[in-house]
Amino acid sequence: MAKWIWLKDGQMVDSHADFFVPLSYSGEKTVIKLSADSDYTLYVNGKFVSCNQYRDYPFYKIYDEIDITDYLVKGENALAIEVWYYGAPNWSYYTSNAGLWYEIFQDGKLVKESVEDTLSRLSPMYQHKLQRKISPQIGWSYHYIAAAEDAWKTELVPGFEKSGLGGEGIMETPLPRPIKRMDILPPAESTFVREANNRILYDLGRETVGFPTLRLTSPVPQKLRLMWGEHINDGQVRDIMGCRRFYVDLTVAEGVTEFSNYLRRFGCRYLEIEYETPVTVDYLTVFPCVYPVNMIPVDCGSERRNRIYDTAVRTIYMCMHDHYEDCCWREQTMYVGDARNQSLCGYYAFGEYIFPRAAIYLISKDHRDDGLFNIVSPYKGDMYPIPSCIPGTTPGFVQVVHEYCTHSHDYSLARDVFEKLTDSMKAFIDHMEDGLLPIFPEGETGCWNFYEWAEGLSYSKDQRPATASPFDAALNCNFSLALGRMHDICTWIGVKSDYKKLQDALNKKIYETWFNKNTGWVQNRTDEEFYSECVNGLAILCGAVTGKEAEHIADALATDKLSTSSLAWKCNKYDALLKVNKEKYRDYVLNDLDEMYGRQLDAGATTFWETVIGAEDFEGAGSMCHGWSGMPIYYYHTLGVAKKK
């Protein structure tokens, strides 16, 4: 029986191990099942075969099944498995204890498995315990010592010994990957831009996600810095930004170095090498890595809208690998709140449901004692000086399950995650006071009462006035929406509930508490006469405001009288307008989308930005490719603009 194994000398934070597995072959179909904490790369006879451990939990551990038949030769073969153990959590990986698990089958018969006899060593090609974060969301960078590379991928070299046991606390037998593995494509075309200030800059031509590859000649041994970024507004790649470090180190020997590494995806348009002594670069690019989907061809009726649609599709496409990612450059993390936009767009752009189902199921594996959701999934611990939970996104999980069922007609997911759904709703119901939901305590609870990147809706704990009301309209409207959707879900799977009754009572309280009869709009808070598109849109969508009063709010939404929403949450405004009068507001929604996203195209966007400000937002860290910004896909389809070819 396969065991979880690791180096005999034990584990250490941010370390790399090499495992060597000899294998005889005489023509049989040969597959390997492989899982690791934290990431792996597999080589057969020196050739790269596969990489990328699925982002999972130790209690929901995933293996890859890889057909290696075409890489084998008659006789003896060498399997080399490189494993990177993080040893500390980040916002995109729930690390546990170091371990490798594998089983090798030939014609269906188990012939090799991970046991202590597997040979292993601490890799000489990496600096161990470096512990330098790229970003809190992505985790560690690395320092690769190309000069120490030996022949271990093709033959057994000195320094290997039998392994010890590893993987303590990880489920004994992993589960099969619930989605396809990434496609890793031939090297992307890149163009030399310039050499200045000891830096050599290359342009990939558009936003791309991939693994780095290069060949260069150095006249002396030296350490180089390989950097990546989405723009060169400063004349070079922004490699250091506050706590973020967008670079890996590469130590080369004198002469030619060929380098390809499959342990860290770069989301970027630009690549740059910094040297001490000038080097000659033959090529510098990435192997693009993409999730295999079929893009549904459409015609949106004009060249402009076709460009917007295609760019929106590419934006979503660049932000899906193991699961949905908010942005491929600085985070590569699945935020519970962002997954809604991305999955909704994917239903129309790709017409497939396996990927979103797996992502939603992965979110359901998250756990907090208070019943809420952590800010991202998978999640363990906190590497960043902001809270780990946004209570306002917990109702969003109900929404994303509801929309999955609506589009796929697969109600099995609702049954599979029903306990998580009810637990999260119970956490909200138990927290209610006098018929309303107060904000959740911050500080040690890890909660942040945030709603969206707009004025009055993104308070930090210190910014919220001490005298402020503990009740926010946005949180209650989101909760009301979730109650209505829970009623639908329960109906679909044949479960009786009181969620609709609770929603009706809550809507009455929302109206009585925040609807200002003088303006005819809904306030963000009772103690602050401030009106936002986000809250007023939500009030219509949840049913707290109806009839003529909803029409009055819709008029304000369509004439920009309320505090504007950011790109991610414009959908609340649009959906509210279309709920009030689809025929009346259809052209307004389409023209608004055309203007916002067309402006980005005119500025040279190859994928859509996190906000309309672009790179200069968030103190220079604004993402130029953000998954929540693919919403033209959804509206072009539902409003009849996108026609299937």
Side-chain angles (χ1 to χ4, degrees):
M1 180 178 179
K3 303 175 183 178
W4 284 95
I5 59 173
W6 193 246
L7 302 176
K8 185 177 289 185
D9 292 338
Q11 62 187 35
M12 59 183 172
V13 175
D14 190 10
S15 58
H16 297 252
D18 300 331
F19 295 84
F20 184 86
V21 183
L23 181 67
S24 297
Y25 175 72
S26 57
E28 312 93 335
K29 178 180 180 179
T30 304
V31 299
I32 181 171
K33 296 179 179 180
L34 178 61
S35 184
D37 190 322
S38 303
D39 207 353
Y40 76 86
T41 305
L42 169 67
Y43 300 88
V44 175
N45 296 325
K47 294 181 180 179
F48 167 77
V49 177
S50 186
C51 64
N52 180 226
Q53 174 65 36
Y54 185 79
R55 297 327 195 203
D56 50 24
Y57 290 94
F59 48 84
Y60 175 62
K61 193 65 182 172
I62 302 300
Y63 70 79
D64 286 329
E65 183 169 329
I66 306 160
D67 188 337
I68 60 174
T69 307
D70 291 343
Y71 295 88
L72 300 173
V73 297
K74 295 285 182 70
E76 293 303 308
N77 294 263
L79 275 64
I81 307 169
E82 178 182 357
V83 180
W84 185 5
Y85 173 58
Y86 300 155
N90 56 58
W91 280 33
S92 59
Y93 197 85
Y94 188 120
T95 194
S96 180
N97 287 294
L100 170 69
W101 178 97
Y102 68 84
E103 293 177 337
I104 301 174
F105 296 83
Q106 292 185 327
D107 282 348
K109 180 181 178 181
L110 180 65
V111 296
K112 289 269 186 175
E113 58 191 345
S114 50
V115 293
E116 294 98 314
D117 284 343
T118 301
L119 298 174
S120 60
R121 69 174 182 182
L122 187 67
S123 175
M125 279 82 72
Y126 290 91
Q127 179 180 339
H128 303 287
K129 299 191 289 186
L130 177 63
Q131 299 182 61
R132 182 181 66 222
K133 286 184 288 186
I134 295 170
S135 71
Q137 292 87 351
I138 291 178
W140 304 134
S141 176
Y142 57 78
H143 176 190
Y144 183 78
I145 306 167
E149 184 73 61
D150 56 24
W152 80 280
K153 293 172 186 171
T154 56
E155 62 186 62
L156 182 61
V157 299
F160 280 82
E161 61 178 351
K162 291 184 178 181
S163 300
L165 294 178
E168 183 180 356
I170 302 177
M171 66 186 301
E172 188 173 353
T173 303
L175 303 167
R177 181 184 279 251
I179 60 173
K180 300 173 185 176
R181 290 186 292 118
M182 293 186 303
D183 285 338
I184 299 177
L185 307 179
E189 184 176 339
S190 65
T191 304
F192 169 78
V193 178
R194 61 173 167 265
E195 181 171 358
N197 302 317
N198 286 23
R199 290 184 175 217
I200 302 174
L201 179 66
Y202 276 75
D203 182 3
L204 296 170
R206 60 179 180 171
E207 193 77 26
T208 306
V209 182
F211 298 108
T213 182
L214 62 82
R215 185 173 66 204
L216 57 80
T217 303
S218 175
V220 296
Q222 62 175 312
K223 184 166 78 171
L224 309 174
R225 178 172 291 181
L226 172 57
M227 303 159 286
W228 68 95
E230 295 189 311
H231 62 84
I232 50 173
N233 294 5
D234 302 332
Q236 61 184 35
V237 167
R238 287 181 183 168
D239 52 309
I240 299 177
M241 303 178 63
C243 67
R244 304 177 180 94
R245 301 288 185 272
F246 294 102
Y247 64 86
V248 297
D249 288 324
L250 176 62
T251 293
V252 300
E254 178 183 347
V256 175
T257 294
E258 293 187 2
F259 167 78
S260 299
N261 190 286
Y262 302 90
L263 289 173
R264 180 63 73 209
R265 293 194 301 269
F266 293 1
C268 60
R269 174 170 173 172
Y270 297 95
L271 295 164
E272 196 165 29
I273 286 178
E274 184 177 57
Y275 55 75
E276 294 179 358
T277 302
V279 297
T280 301
V281 176
D282 295 320
Y283 60 81
L284 171 58
T285 184
V286 298
F287 296 108
C289 54
V290 296
Y291 185 75
V293 292
N294 293 318
M295 296 187 185
I296 298 172
V298 303
D299 183 2
C300 297
S302 73
E303 189 273 339
R304 182 75 158 178
R305 282 183 174 167
N306 282 337
R307 284 187 62 207
I308 290 173
Y309 183 89
D310 291 345
T311 305
V313 170
R314 182 167 177 81
T315 302
I316 298 293
Y317 188 49
M318 291 294 99
C319 294
M320 52 189 296
H321 291 92
D322 306 314
H323 47 54
Y324 295 113
E325 301 160 5
D326 64 323
C327 63
C328 54
W329 166 52
R330 71 165 194 263
E331 299 194 5
Q332 300 181 3
T333 300
M334 182 166 64
Y335 285 80
V336 178
D338 298 358
R340 184 260 171 167
N341 284 21
Q342 294 171 270
S343 57
L344 189 59
C345 293
Y347 300 142
Y348 293 92
F350 312 124
E352 72 96 36
Y353 302 98
I354 294 173
F355 188 91
R357 192 191 198 285
I360 297 165
Y361 188 73
L362 182 62
I363 294 172
S364 78
K365 294 298 181 182
D366 178 63
H367 175 76
R368 287 173 55 96
D369 291 339
D370 57 13
L372 304 180
F373 284 87
N374 282 303
I375 193 170
V376 296
S377 288
Y379 178 88
K380 177 187 179 183
D382 196 351
M383 291 181 67
Y384 202 39
I386 68 170
S388 59
C389 171
I390 298 177
T393 64
T394 292
F397 181 69
V398 181
Q399 182 179 22
V400 78
V401 173
H402 185 279
E403 289 174 339
Y404 171 84
C405 294
T406 300
H407 286 83
S408 69
H409 305 294
D410 168 22
Y411 302 105
S412 66
L413 175 65
R415 297 185 184 94
D416 290 347
V417 303
F418 190 69
E419 183 178 356
K420 187 68 176 181
L421 289 167
T422 54
D423 285 351
S424 64
M425 288 296 94
K426 185 178 185 299
F428 273 55
I429 293 168
D430 291 349
H431 190 62
M432 294 181 75
E433 297 177 8
D434 300 323
L436 287 173
L437 185 68
I439 62 172
F440 286 77
E442 298 189 345
E444 293 183 1
T445 66
C447 289
W448 177 25
N449 292 289
F450 166 93
Y451 306 107
E452 76 132 309
W453 293 113
E455 186 178 356
L457 295 168
S458 58
Y459 288 123
S460 68
K461 180 183 176 184
D462 296 335
Q463 292 172 323
R464 193 181 188 98
T467 57
S469 166
F471 298 95
D472 289 346
L475 183 61
N476 282 269
C477 289
N478 272 317
F479 181 38
S480 172
L481 276 169
L483 289 170
R485 288 167 178 139
M486 277 299 292
H487 167 77
D488 291 343
I489 290 170
C490 288
T491 300
W492 294 336
I493 65 175
V495 175
K496 291 184 178 180
S497 76
D498 293 325
Y499 290 121
K500 185 66 174 72
K501 185 182 191 180
L502 286 168
Q503 183 190 31
D504 291 341
L506 178 57
N507 279 347
K508 187 172 183 292
K509 290 288 289 187
I510 290 171
Y511 180 85
E512 292 171 349
T513 305
W514 289 293
F515 184 77
N516 187 316
K517 293 189 177 181
N518 293 325
T519 62
W521 303 331
V522 179
Q523 297 181 194
N524 284 8
R525 296 203 311 266
T526 53
D527 57 334
E528 182 182 47
E529 196 170 332
F530 188 87
Y531 306 94
S532 64
E533 291 180 345
C534 176
V535 166
N536 280 270
L538 286 170
I540 291 174
L541 292 172
C542 74
V545 181
T546 59
K548 294 294 184 183
E549 291 169 333
E551 292 176 13
H552 178 71
I553 290 176
D555 178 70
L557 290 170
T559 52
D560 301 325
K561 293 178 180 176
L562 308 177
S563 176
T564 190
S565 295
S566 57
L567 283 178
W569 285 273
K570 286 284 185 184
C571 52
N572 291 332
K573 170 182 175 177
Y574 298 152
D575 290 348
L577 290 171
L578 297 170
K579 179 180 180 180
V580 170
N581 191 324
K582 183 174 181 179
E583 183 178 349
K584 179 178 179 180
Y585 293 113
R586 175 185 181 275
D587 287 345
Y588 171 84
V589 171
L590 290 173
N591 291 335
D592 203 46
L593 288 165
D594 292 347
E595 193 280 327
M596 284 192 304
Y597 289 93
R599 195 187 328 150
Q600 295 178 48
L601 290 182
D602 293 340
T606 64
T607 49
F608 287 133
W609 309 340
E610 184 172 13
T611 72
V612 293
I613 298 173
E616 304 311 318
D617 210 351
F618 303 108
E619 299 178 337
S623 168
M624 308 298 281
C625 178
H626 206 288
W628 70 29
S629 295
M631 292 308 288
I633 300 168
Y634 171 71
Y635 290 106
Y636 280 10
H637 276 278
T638 57
L639 295 179
V641 170
K643 307 288 187 182
K644 292 184 181 179
K645 292 182 180 178

